[in-house]
């Protein structure tokens, strides 16, 4: 596993492809996995790597509370897709010797993984016995670009790159707002208990090179 060297364009491309359908490195909330990968990147990815840039800006907003995020911070090579060499620097030999001597980290990781699997299995069993009514909303978003030279196709691509559990993008169109400027009007359907308008606004406005502002034009329960 691993992303390779995240200080190189090749490593960032692997990260970008990995995040194409994910909001976080692991699971559905920010965790120490995101902190570990974020810390390995020297600066924000370019707008070409729009999935990685969206994730980078989102995790950057958690920097003041990163130590309190859930999970156990593991070596960078344990995150990411399989079959990619991890070229990041290894821990010192003395640290490796200490880990081999006590072996506690591996045991704790194994125990944590076992508990996690038990909880997931118990939750799945409980949910399978009790049907749940899922509340959904239809949202219409107005995304305003910086000026009339903004690449609106790229702006829409960035917006649609946002992926969350419970989010489904719909149709879109460009609407004139004056002085040759057009805004992107795009619809989506969200599951209310998983996705909020504040989350969407935070991630969309993170594309600072394209977005001037964002409004919720309509919000209808379905």
């Amino acid at each position: 596993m691993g992303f390779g060297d995240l200080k190189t364009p090749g490593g960032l491309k692997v990260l970008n492809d990995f995040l194409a359908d994910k909001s976080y490195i692991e699971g559905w909330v920010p965790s120490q996995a995101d902190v570990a990968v974020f810390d390995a990147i020297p600066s924000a990815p370019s707008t070409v790597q729009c999935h990685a840039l969206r994730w980078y800006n989102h995790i950057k907003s958690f920097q003041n509370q990163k130590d309190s995020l859930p999970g156990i911070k593991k070596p960078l090579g344990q995150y990411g897709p399989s079959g990619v060499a991890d070229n990041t620097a290894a821990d010192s030999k003395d640290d490796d010797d200490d880990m081999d001597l006590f072996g506690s980290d591996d045991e704790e990781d194994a125990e944590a993984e076992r508990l996690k699997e038990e909880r997931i299995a118990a939750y799945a069993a409980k949910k399978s016995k009790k049907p749940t009514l899922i509340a959904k909303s239809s949202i219409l978003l107005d995304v305003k670009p910086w000026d009339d030279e903004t690449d609106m196709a790229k702006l829409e691509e960035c917006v649609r790159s946002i992926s969350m559990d419970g989010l489904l993008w719909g149709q879109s169109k460009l609407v004139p707002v004056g002085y040759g400027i057009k805004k992107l009007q795009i619809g989506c359907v969200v599951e209310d208990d998983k996705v909020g308008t504040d989350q969407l606004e935070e991630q969309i406005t993170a594309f600072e090179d394209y977005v001037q502002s964002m409004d919720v034009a309509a919000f209808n329960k379905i």
Side-chain angles (χ1 to χ4, degrees), residues 87-107:
N87 297 323
T88 55
D91 293 334
S92 68
K93 185 177 184 303
D94 289 342
D95 290 342
D96 289 342
D97 291 341
D98 290 341
M99 292 177 65
D100 291 339
L101 177 62
F102 297 103
S104 58
D105 288 345
D106 290 341
E107 292 174 3

Side-chain angles (χ1 to χ4, degrees), residues 9-30:
L12 290 176
K13 183 180 185 306
V14 174
L15 176 64
N16 186 70
D17 294 344
F18 180 78
L19 291 169
D21 58 353
K22 300 177 181 65
S23 296
Y24 304 103
I25 301 300
E26 290 183 343
W28 306 109
V29 296

